[in-house]
Amino acid sequence: MAVKLNVEKRAIRPRSLRNKLRHEGKVPAVVNGYQIESTPVAVDAAALEKIYREHGANAVIVLSIDGKNVNTLVRGTQSDTFTKKLTHVEFLSVNMTEETEVEAEVLLVGEAAGVKAGGVLTQTLYNVVVSATPDKLPERIEVDVTALEIGDALAVADLPKDADFTIVTDPEEQIVAVSEAQVAEEEDSEDAAPEAPAEAE
């Protein structure tokens, strides 16, 4: 699903203009890629964050630049270390008929049978690379772990297949496993009986 986001062209210099934009609630950004020269723009921070919340990071965002609609994906962002607010965004203009690769979140669903039996579930892979046309890119891929017993594991090859996209990540890479819970060993000093005092000669 494509969503629209209003942008305005901006000057690159002086640097103080970037701070002025941020004080106005806007984020400096750049658009480049398919059929467009690198173009500096500014976007409304609140509007972009709303798109993230409602449509995810892989949504197609339609930017209006000089009266022309440009289909884009967010290729990269920068955030303030302390406030976590966006400080810069890079938009990639895309051809809607060509496949592109992005990361999609792997979301575990359900409670594993092995966990109910006292085991421990460990997820080692949280994102996979997928390939699809921009309008078919998934935000996340759900995997049901309900049937996993202690000793079981799931790999990328076990992810549900979907005709809309192809998973590019190595199919043998492990995503999640259920193992036995580790029992802490008691210290020897707690188990050993106290030694009898030596007899005096």
Side-chain angles (χ1 to χ4, degrees):
M1 177 181 178
V3 290
K4 290 187 176 181
L5 179 65
N6 293 326
V7 301
E8 58 186 54
K9 282 190 172 182
R10 64 177 175 88
I12 300 177
R13 292 181 173 80
R15 184 178 294 273
S16 59
L17 286 177
R18 293 190 178 188
N19 294 328
K20 181 175 182 295
L21 287 172
R22 295 184 182 112
H23 285 306
E24 294 174 350
K26 298 175 182 178
V27 182
V30 64
V31 187
N32 51 49
Y34 178 68
Q35 291 187 342
I36 188 172
E37 294 183 358
S38 183
T39 305
V41 297
V43 301
D44 183 87
L48 181 58
E49 289 170 357
K50 182 180 179 181
I51 290 174
Y52 266 44
R53 289 195 306 270
E54 297 181 356
H55 303 281
N58 291 339
V60 175
I61 301 177
V62 182
L63 307 179
S64 178
I65 303 174
D66 291 335
K68 176 184 177 182
N69 287 336
V70 181
N71 297 309
T72 70
L73 296 171
V74 174
R75 181 160 66 177
T77 61
Q78 296 176 15
S79 301
D80 185 274
T81 305
F82 301 103
T83 66
K84 305 303 180 184
K85 291 183 178 180
L86 290 174
T87 58
H88 191 268
V89 181
E90 183 178 3
F91 292 97
L92 175 67
S93 174
V94 292
N95 183 344
M96 295 298 289
T97 64
E98 291 184 359
E99 291 194 359
T100 187
E101 293 184 0
V102 299
E103 285 192 342
E105 178 189 6
V106 177
L107 181 64
L108 305 185
V109 178
E111 183 179 4
V115 172
K116 293 180 180 180
V120 176
L121 182 144
T122 303
Q123 184 174 0
T124 53
L125 186 66
Y126 293 87
N127 296 280
V128 292
V129 178
V130 298
S131 176
T133 53
D135 59 322
K136 298 292 180 64
L137 291 170
E139 173 65 18
R140 62 182 57 86
I141 301 174
E142 295 186 353
V143 54
D144 189 353
V145 298
T146 305
L148 291 184
E149 301 283 356
I150 293 176
D152 289 344
L154 291 176
V156 172
D158 300 311
L159 289 173
K161 303 299 185 289
D162 194 302
D164 287 341
F165 58 85
T166 302
I167 299 176
V168 179
T169 301
D170 184 350
E172 295 185 1
E173 193 163 347
Q174 183 174 288
I175 296 172
V176 62
V178 179
S179 57
E180 292 184 359
Q182 297 293 322
V183 179
E185 295 183 0
E186 296 182 354
E187 295 183 4
D188 293 341
S189 59
E190 295 179 355
D191 297 332
E195 294 184 2
E199 295 182 3
E201 295 182 359

